[in-house]
Amino acid sequence: MKIGIPKETAPGETRVAFVPALAGALLRDQHEILVEGGAGRAAGIDDAQYAAAGARLLGSAPELYASADLILKVQPPSVAEAGLIREGAAYVGFLAPFGNTPVLQVFLRRRITGYAMEFIPRITRAQGMDALSSQATVAGYKAVLIAAERLGKMFPLLMTAAGTVTPATVLVLGAGVAGLQAIATAKRLGARVEAFDPRPAVREQVKSLGAMFVEMELPKDAETAGGYAKELSPEFIQKEMEAIGARLPKVDVVISTAQVFGKKAPLLVTEKMAGLLRPGAVFVDLAAEQGGNCELTRAGETVMHHGVAIIGAVNLPATVPADASALYARNCFNFFRHLFPKPGAEPDPADEIVKGACLTRGGEVTNDTVRKLLGAP
Ligand code: NAD
């Protein structure tokens, strides 16, 4: 099979969906690897490294798309890029179907088999393919560094001849994959860390990282069978806001990551509540692209409010492109090996992972959520 890796074209995207270290195993299975010239440059991988690993470099995107049987990509293709994918070929990458119906329509017209990395079920045997987790890990880490860089105060406790520096206090809202990584990173930098998440299982995870859990009565049905947070009642959110509001005057940094899959992010900090933060405090909102956890958040912008910087973080993994690409590429590689375990094998459409990730095949929608989205029969 010819596997094609195009250069990403979305503004600000620096990652690449394949790294040279993974080439050997694919070549041994008789696959061919086609890479668009410059595809890895922003992630620190030059064309010569791909060529040395056995990949064939192609000069242009149309040539790459026209030659490949399967495309590996990070960002969803534009409508124009989707139109370049060979009819009947396959696509593996993020697809963000909720905002990308025109691309899905092109996939249907061109009978492209579309696998969405964000739809891979989050079950134990698919952990190695879980790109949402690998990229959230990078985002959680980077959010803390952004806050530390912006804050006019150091994170650790220092006792020096010139006096004592008290540690910074960091509040993490939402302790899933990104939040737990933010806690671990802030702890390593020496901050005092507190966190909140409505899923009861998270309390122990937070404590095991040495952070304090912001206590309040947790809902009994906060979690879906798959371990995701459910959308919570307005009454619970109101109580949660009161608990958060009580902490805000005491913290230097807020990192918010609260999300509910497929929904707008919960609003946890109103404009009035943001006013409780001390001047100089920093709020990094990782839910910015889903509407934000803070009322003042603007995706891709930093809003100043009474001396507090509210940072609407967007695509942080792209700011750490070398490691984010290596992790994402490994997720895609593992998924590819799951689809095609040996040369000549075909994906098993009944397999839970294949079924979960596949959105379109043979001109038809194969996923119920996307079927509703497109109004397809
Ligand atoms: P996410 O990005 O969808 O949400 C981030 C966090 O926000 C979650 O922890 C969620 O509980 C929290 N949240 C939702 N509403 C909130 C509110 N009102 N206030 C505060 N926090 C709120 O989640 P994620 O990090 O992608 O994953 C969440 C969970 O999914 C994991 O912790 C785990 O249980 C499960 N998961 C399982 C696997 C696996 O088994 N392979 C892999 C990854 C994740």
Side-chain angles (χ1 to χ4, degrees):
M1 179 185 301
K2 291 190 170 93
I3 303 165
I5 298 95
K7 190 172 168 190
E8 296 295 321
T9 54
E13 188 52 74
T14 55
R15 292 169 292 175
V16 60
F18 188 77
V19 295
L22 300 170
L26 296 181
L27 296 174
R28 274 195 295 283
D29 279 355
Q30 315 300 321
H31 298 302
E32 221 183 306
I33 302 163
L34 313 175
V35 176
E36 184 183 344
R41 198 169 295 138
I45 307 166
D46 61 29
D47 290 350
Q49 288 170 274
Y50 282 115
R56 182 150 67 93
L57 272 300
L58 294 181
S60 75
E63 198 187 346
L64 184 283
Y65 281 106
S67 315
D69 302 309
L70 180 143
I71 296 290
L72 287 182
K73 216 176 159 316
V74 181
Q75 292 287 346
S78 64
V79 170
E81 284 168 336
L84 293 174
I85 301 176
R86 230 172 27 73
E87 268 198 72
Y91 170 94
V92 171
F94 285 122
L95 268 172
F98 301 110
N100 263 330
T101 47
V103 166
L104 294 175
Q105 300 287 9
V106 177
F107 276 27
L108 292 175
R109 268 203 312 280
R110 300 180 64 78
R111 308 172 73 79
I112 293 160
T113 307
Y115 296 105
M117 287 302 285
E118 64 269 63
F119 272 59
I120 288 182
R122 302 183 90 179
I123 53 175
T124 307
R125 72 188 173 96
Q127 269 179 359
M129 312 168 201
D130 185 351
L132 286 180
S133 288
S134 72
Q135 303 306 290
T137 300
V138 178
Y141 158 83
K142 190 62 190 275
V144 174
L145 298 194
I146 288 171
E149 220 262 331
R150 181 91 192 200
L151 190 70
K153 179 175 167 46
M154 291 198 276
F155 268 36
L157 166 74
L158 292 183
M159 287 166 150
T160 79
T164 298
V165 174
T166 56
T169 301
V170 175
L171 172 63
V172 177
L173 299 176
V177 180
L180 290 173
Q181 186 57 48
I183 295 170
T185 306
K187 284 295 293 179
R188 278 188 212 129
L189 283 179
R192 279 188 68 256
V193 185
E194 27 191 271
F196 179 73
D197 195 292
R199 292 182 295 118
V202 178
R203 183 189 272 122
E204 281 315 307
Q205 296 167 2
V206 165
K207 289 187 176 170
S208 73
L209 288 170
M212 192 195 96
F213 193 76
V214 176
E215 291 294 347
M216 65 173 286
E217 198 182 328
L218 299 178
K220 289 199 174 50
D221 59 344
E223 204 164 89
T224 64
Y228 274 114
K230 286 187 188 163
E231 202 167 18
L232 297 165
S233 68
E235 293 75 28
F236 176 83
I237 296 282
Q238 187 54 43
K239 284 196 196 130
E240 179 182 352
M241 287 165 98
E242 283 164 21
I244 294 169
R247 303 306 309 154
L248 292 179
K250 303 181 178 77
V251 306
D252 301 294
V253 169
V254 182
I255 310 274
S256 78
T257 76
Q259 295 198 39
V260 179
F261 190 74
K263 299 255 159 45
K264 193 172 179 293
L267 175 63
L268 303 177
V269 177
T270 59
E271 177 173 349
K272 191 161 168 227
M273 288 167 72
L276 296 169
L277 286 159
R278 300 173 190 146
V282 180
F283 192 127
V284 182
D285 194 338
L286 284 188
E289 282 173 284
Q290 283 69 41
N293 295 136
C294 176
E295 196 176 7
L296 295 166
T297 298
R298 297 286 167 268
E301 292 177 27
T302 297
V303 174
M304 292 306 299
H305 181 67
H306 299 305
V308 176
I310 296 152
I311 300 173
V314 168
N315 197 4
L316 292 190
T319 66
V320 194
D323 283 329
S325 298
L327 295 170
Y328 180 75
R330 174 63 74 174
N331 295 143
C332 290
F333 170 88
N334 288 339
F335 181 55
F336 178 86
R337 298 298 292 277
H338 184 77
L339 289 172
F340 306 101
K342 51 181 191 251
E346 283 299 316
D348 172 7
D351 172 81
E352 187 183 2
I353 300 171
V354 177
K355 202 167 167 216
C358 186
L359 303 191
T360 61
R361 184 190 301 111
E364 284 177 16
V365 182
T366 50
N367 175 285
D368 288 341
T369 314
V370 174
R371 199 172 287 123
K372 274 191 217 129
L373 186 73
L374 294 178

